[in-house]
Amino acid sequence: MLYIYIYIYIYNIVRCGGSKVNLRPPIISTDSRFLLCASGDLVKVYSTRTEEWLHSLQGHTNQVTGIALNPANHLQVYSCSVDGTVKLWDFIDGILIKAAYECNCLSVIYQKINSPLVAVHLPKSAEQEVEAKEMSVVSSHISSNPSCTAFGRGVRAHSPLHIMTFEPCFFSLKATDKKGAKNAFTCIACHPTDDCIATGHEDGKIRLWRNFIHKKEYTYSTQHWHHNAVNTLCFTPEGTHLLSGGIESVLVQWQYGAGNRKEFLPRLGGSILHISVSSDGQLFCTSHSDNKITVIESSFKVCGVIQGLVKGDGVLTDLMIDPRSKALVLNGKPGHLQFYSLLRDKHLYNLDIVQQEYIYEAGLDQFEVVKAAFDIKGSWLATVEERGQKSSDLEFFLKLWAFDERTQSFVLNTTITAAHTDRIISMCFSSSKETTMLVTIAEDGQFKAWCQGADDQNFWSCDFVGSYHNLKPTNCSFSADSSLLAVSFQEVITIWSPETWEMLTTLCQPPGVIRDLCFGRLSCSKYLLGTTTRNLLCCWNLLTCALEWSSSVEVSKLQPDPLSENVAAFSYQSKHTDVFVFKPSEPRPLFTNKNVCSEKVHRAVFVPREEPLNNCDESSQWLNRSQLYFLTQNMDLLTFSTATEEDRILSSSKQLVIDDSVAVTPFYLLLGKHGQQQQKLNTQSHPAADKPQQPQGSVTIKELLHTPAHVLPAASVLCSMFVNSLLISNTGVQQDPLREEMDSEKEEEDSEEEMEACDSQQELRVQGSVDEVTLKLSKAQERELKRVRKTDFSWMAGLIDSKP
Amino acid sequence: MGEFKVHRVRFFDYMPSGIRALAFNQDTERMAVARMDGSVEVFHCSDRFFQEKIIPGREQFGIEGLSWVGERLFSAGLNGGITEYDLTNQKVKYTIDAYGGPIWTIAGNQQGTHLAVGCEDGTVKLFEVNEDNIQFERNLDRQKSRIVSLSWHPSGSKIAAGMMDMIQVFNVETGHSMHRMLADRGVGTSRSKECVVWSVVYLSDGTIITGDSVGMVKLWDDQTGTLIKSHNVTKCDVLALSVSQNEDSLVAGTSEGIVVQFQFVSMVLGKDDKEWVRTRTFRNHTHDIRAVAEITTAVVSGGMDAQLVVRPLLDKIEERSAASALRKIHFPHRRLVACARKSGLMLFQYPGHLELWRLGESEGKGSSLFVKRNPEKLLHLKVKGEDHIRCSAVSPCGEWIVYSTASTLRLYRLHCDNNNIKLHENTLHGPEISKLPKVLSSANQLCFSSDSSHLFSASAQSSVHLVSISQSGCKFVGTLKPKSGSHQAIHLLAASEDGKWVASANSDHEVHIYNLQTRKAHCTVPIYSSAVTAMGIHPATNCLFMMHADQQMFEYSIEQKQYTDWSRTVQRKGLHRLWVERDTPCLNVMFNPQNPSHVILHDMYMLCIIDQSLPLPDDKTQFYNQLTLKSLTEEQRKSHSHAFKVCKTFKDILCVELMPDQSLVVVERPLEDIATQLPAPIKQKKFAT
C-alpha cells in the first residue's frame, strides 16, 4: 500500500482542539457505551467507561448546533450545524449516511440561533445527499437556548397535543412577569409518562405543572433548593426522578411525586449547563461551564470526567506553551492554570495557583490568576493572582513556582505579597540559560527585576527597581539572547542591559502609547518590533538605533514564533480580523489572510509541532515548525490547518472503522485494546510512518477470528504466531512506503538546512523530537530501530498474565 | 384637605387572640372562627369577609372545635362542655357537659342529625341534634387514648377518628371499630414521641386523609385499612386539614405557618386515574396554623399569629376583582376605642378590662410637635365576673363610663377633682345608690347622646333602650322598637348632635331611625345587600351617612326620608375602582363642624376625607393624586382635584376621632408590636442566615 500525499495548500481556519464540549447536552448511546457531544465542527465520540476520545464525526464545516439519536435506529445519530446541513451518521463506524442540505432553519433536533423551532421531515432516499423540502415551523418566539425546549411523550406520533403543551406555560410566564418577581423561565422538561411539565426559574425554583390543557385549572407545585437560576432540568427515563442543576454545581435529584425528598452530588466543578440521561437511566451526564462533561452513575457516583479546554468568562493570562510538555497553558478552573495538549486534544492537568476554595456564586470577588509566564526551559513559572478588579481595594500576589523533577510538577517556591504598589501589567522571564531573571512592570510606574537568591535557600528577591520619568510602563520584553531588555513607558521605549542595569538608549516614536513589544529572533534579532495605540507597527534596528520601517496597521496582537523569525500580527479593521505573517527583515509579508474572523483577537500563540512539516510552498512554510492558534473574543480557539493535516485526520479515522467492525469477543477485547494502543502510539509519535504496518496486523487478526474455533490450534501456539506476526520484519513490502517517505523528508531537511544554520534553538528542538539523525546508520534503519524500541509490548505481559 | 393636629396614640396594647378553629357553612356562606380566648366570630364570606357577629368569650373557656349543624353553631372545649350559640342575639345559648373529660374535637354529620365529640377518656360520643337542644345518644367503642380528631363519612355511616399513634374507623350503626390503622412515628429522636393524628378527613370515595405530628399527610383506604400514599409535608406538625366541597382539593396547615395544597388531578391528561398531588404552597403565617378551611374560591387559614388569611384560588375565580385579592384580617371590625370628645379622654376596651387615658398636650409647630404633657392613664377597670366585655362607651363629657358583658351592664360615674379620681358604680345588681333599671341586664351596643344626658343601649330583638342619666341617678325612659323586620342584634348605634335622632344598624343590614322626641320609629333606610360597617349623622344637615362592607357609601336625609342628591350621584356615577378594591371596611364616620361638606372616614390602612362639594373621580382619573396636586399651581389644582383625599401616613389604625379643637386622634396598633408579643415561632433555618 502506498501512501502518497498530494499536498494542496489550502488554508482552512478550523476549530481544531480545545473546542467547547458543553455547547449542547451530550447524548449517551442506547447501550450506554458511547457518549456523543458536539464540539466545534465535529461530533466527538467518547467511551463512557474509559473517558477516552474514540473518534469524531467529521464533515460539518461550521459549528455543530445539535445532535440527537435516530429514534428508528439506535446506532445512528443526527447532527445539525450552522452551515445549514443536517447529517445522519453511523456513530460507531463514523460513516456519514445521509446529509440534508438547504435547511437554513433547524430540525427535530434543536433550533438554530434566533430562528423558530422547525421540524424537518427527512425524506427517505438511498442517496447520500438529499434536499429537505418538507419543513414545518413548530413554534416561533422560543428562546434559542436548548434547555428551553422539551418534548413530551409520543413525539414520534406527531400529535399536536404536545406542541400545544408549551402554550399554557407561556401564558403564565406573562402573568407572573407582571408582578416583577424573578420567575422567568430558564429551562423546561417533560415527564416521560405523565402529563407533567417541569420548569426551572430564574429565582431557583422548580415548578411542576399539571392539568395544563385547561386554560384556567392548570396547577403547579413549587420546589426550591437552588439559590440561583436553574440551568437545566431532566427527567430520568422512567420518570421516577427529576435532575436539576445550576450555578451551584450541585446535581440535585428530586424524587418525582415525593415532594421534598432529594439527593445531592456536590462539588462537580463549574456550574451545570446541561444534564442528559442514558435511555436505561443508569448513567447521567452533566456538562459544566468549565467545558467539562461528568459521567455519573445512577448511584450518584462520579465515574468519569471528560475535560475540554477550560475557557471561563475570559482568558486573563496569555496563551502560553509549557516548554517541557509543549502543552498550552492558560487560565483554567477558577484559580488554576490548565495544561492542555492540543495535539491530542486532551486536558492534561490543572495547577492550583490560588490554593483557596472557590465559591460558585455570582458577584463574589475572588482571587483569579491574571498573569503567568514560563522561563525558556520550563523550570520556572511565575504567576500573578489578583482580587478586587472592580473595587479600589486591590490585592495581588506574585508567585514563583519551580519545576520539581521528582514529582513532575510545579512546586511553590516564593510568594511575594507586595511586589509592587499597584497592579502588575506584564512580566517576562529572561531567555538566557545561565541565569533566570523575571521582570515585572506595574502601574505604579516601576519595573522590577527579580532574581533567585544566591544562598542555599533559592528564594526569589528583588534585584533591581527601575523607572523612567515616572511614566507608566506598558510592556516589557527580553531579546532572544537576554542581553537586552526593552521596557516601554507610554510612548518611549527604553533599552536596558540586564547585566549592569544601565539604560542603554531610548527609542521614541511618533504619538501613540506602545502596546506590544517584541524582539526579532534568529537572523532578525537585531530588530525590535512595537505596536502603538495609534495604529502603527514600527520596527527599529537596534544596531543603528533607528527606525527601520513602520507601517500603519491597527495591530491588536503581535506574536513572534519562537522557532523562526516569523512574527504574526493580528489586525482588526472594519469589523473583521486579518492576519499577517512577516519577517522583521523583509518588508513583504510572508502570508496574509483577510477576514479570519469577525471578532478582535487578543490572544495568540505559536505551538511548536512535534515534527516539522515538509511543506515546500513558500506561503505555507511558516506553518512548518509551529502552528498558530488564536483565541477570538467569544472564546473560540481557532487555528490554520493545511490540507495535509486534514487528510491525516481523515485517514486515521478510517483506521478505526476497521477496528470497530470486529465483533465484540474476549479475543477482540484483547486485540482491540492492542489495536487502540497502537493507534494511539501512531498518532502520538509518528503517524505517517507507522501507518503501513497496520494492515498486516489486521490480516492476522482476521485470520484468527475467521477460523472456526474447533480447527484452531492451541492458544499457546497461536500466541507465538500472533506475536511473530506483529514483529516488524526488515524486508518486504514495507520498505517502499518508507523509502518514499524518507525521500520526501530528505528533501525537506535539505531545504531547511540553510535556514537552520543560524538557528540556535535548533538543538533544543531536536532533543525533544524523536527523529534524531545520526550519520552512521542509514535513515531508514535508524527509524526502524527507533520504532521497534518505541513499540509498546506491554500488552504481551497482559497476555501472559491472563493465561491461567 | 386642611391641616390637623394629630395625636398619634400607640399606647393601646391591644392583642388579638390566636385562632383555634374554623368552620365554614356552605349554605349561608358564613365562616365561624373560634379564638383562644373563647370568643366566636362569624364572618360573611360573600360580603367581603365582614365580621358580622362577635360572641365574646369567658375566662377559662377554651374552645377546641367548632361545627355547624344547619344554621346552628356548636363548639366544644377543654372544659368538657358542648355549647350552642344564639347567633341572633350573639350570645351563648346553652352549655351541656359531655361527661367525657376535656373535648378535643367536635364534628357534625352532613345530614344535620348528629354531633360527634371526641373526648379525653377515649370515647366518641354521639349527640342527637333536636329542635332546640342536643341530647346524648350513645358512645362508640371506647379507646385507650384520647380522640384528637374526628371526621364523618359524607354518608353519615362511618366515622374516622384520629388518636395517638393510630386512626380508628367506626361504624356508626354498630358503634364498633372497623379498622385500626397505625400511624408511623418519626425517625430518630422523635421515635420515642408518640405520633398525634391532629386532623382527619373522610372523603366520599372512602379515602381517609390524615395529618399528624410527624409532618406527614397520609392517604388511607378504608376498605382495606391500608396506607395508599404518604406525603412528607414538613418537619414539624401538620395541624389542620380541610377538603373542598367537590373533594378535588385539600389544604393542610402546618406549625411552620405554611399551607400546602394537594389536588386530585389525573396524571395523564384525558384519563380518569387521578392522584393526589402536592401542588401549591402558601406562606402567609409566621406561627402555627391551627385551622384551615377551603371555601369555594379561597383558602382560609388562621393560627397563633391571630390573623385570618383569605388566600383566593385564582383558578376558581372567573375574573379578577376585589374579591380575588389576598385578604388578611388582623383587627375586629368593631370599634374598641371610645373617645370622650369634650374632655379628651380615651377609653380602650380589652377583653377583660377597660383603660381610661387622658390625651397629652403639645406645643410648637412643625411636622412633629413637642409633647408638653404626657398622656396619662387614669383608670384601669377590671371586669367583675368571668365574662369578657362585649361593648363599652364613654360619654362625651367624660363623666360616665359604661360597659356590658354577656350577663351584666355596669355604669360608672367618674369624679375628677384635682388628681383624685373617684369611681361611683351604678349597676343592676350592686348595692349602689341608684340602681340601673332592670331591662338593662345586657347590651349589644352602647352609645351616649351628645349632651351626655342619655344612654342608648341596644338589646335583644333589635330594640334600643333609652335611659336618662344624671348625677342623682338613672332612669329608664323607654324602649325604641322597630315597626317590623328581623330581630338580629344591633351592632351600630349613632346619635345625632342635636339630640333628636338615633339610628341603629343590625346584622341583617337593616338601619332604623328613631325620633327621640316622640320615641317612635321614624323610618327605615332601604335595605342594601351589604352590611353597614360605620355610620354617622351629620350635625348640620341631619343626614345619615353610611359605609358598607363593599365600600359603597350612602347618604340618607332623615328629615326627607330619602337619599340625598349627592348619594344618588355617587350611585349613578359609581365609585373609583381603587376605592372599591380596598380590603378593609371603614370603621368610623366623622364630620368636620368647620367644613360641613367634609366627611372623614378611616379603615385600617388609611384616613380619607370626602369633600362632597368636589366632583367625583371616575375610573380614568388618578385616585391617589395628592402628590400630583402638590406639583400643580393653584389654578390647575382645581381642575385636577376630586372628592377623595386619602392619607396613608398612618398604618394599622384602630380608631380615628376628630376632636372639637380640630385635632385628630389616631390610635395605631403596629402589627410589628403585636408580632413581638407573640410567642416565638418554630425556629426555621433560613437560607443564608
Side-chain angles (χ1 to χ4, degrees), chain B residues 347-381:
Chain B
L347 183 73
F348 299 139
Q349 177 189 323
Y350 293 88
H353 67 271
L354 293 170
E355 276 181 13
L356 190 69
W357 288 71
R358 179 181 289 137
L359 289 172
E361 280 173 32
S362 63
E363 59 183 8
K365 282 197 168 178
S367 57
S368 63
L369 306 179
F370 173 73
V371 179
K372 197 169 70 182
R373 198 187 66 198
N374 279 328
E376 189 186 0
K377 185 175 172 183
L378 299 177
L379 190 70
H380 182 99
L381 184 63

Side-chain angles (χ1 to χ4, degrees), chain B residues 56 76 118 124 238 288 333 352 400-401 471 473 537 556 641 649 657:
Chain B
V124 176
V238 176
D288 297 28
H333 295 158
W400 300 90
I401 294 173
Q471 297 205 356
I537 299 173
Y556 187 81
S641 56
T649 321
E657 196 73 58

Side-chain angles (χ1 to χ4, degrees), chain A residues 30 68-78 88 124 156:
Chain A
T30 329
L69 284 179
N70 185 359
N73 183 346
H74 61 85
L75 296 177
Q76 293 176 348
V77 66
Y78 283 104
L88 179 64
K124 277 180 190 165
R156 256 177 274 167

Side-chain angles (χ1 to χ4, degrees), chain B residues 250-261:
Chain B
L250 173 91
V251 284
T254 72
S255 53
E256 280 172 319
I258 60 171
V259 175
V260 180
Q261 191 189 15

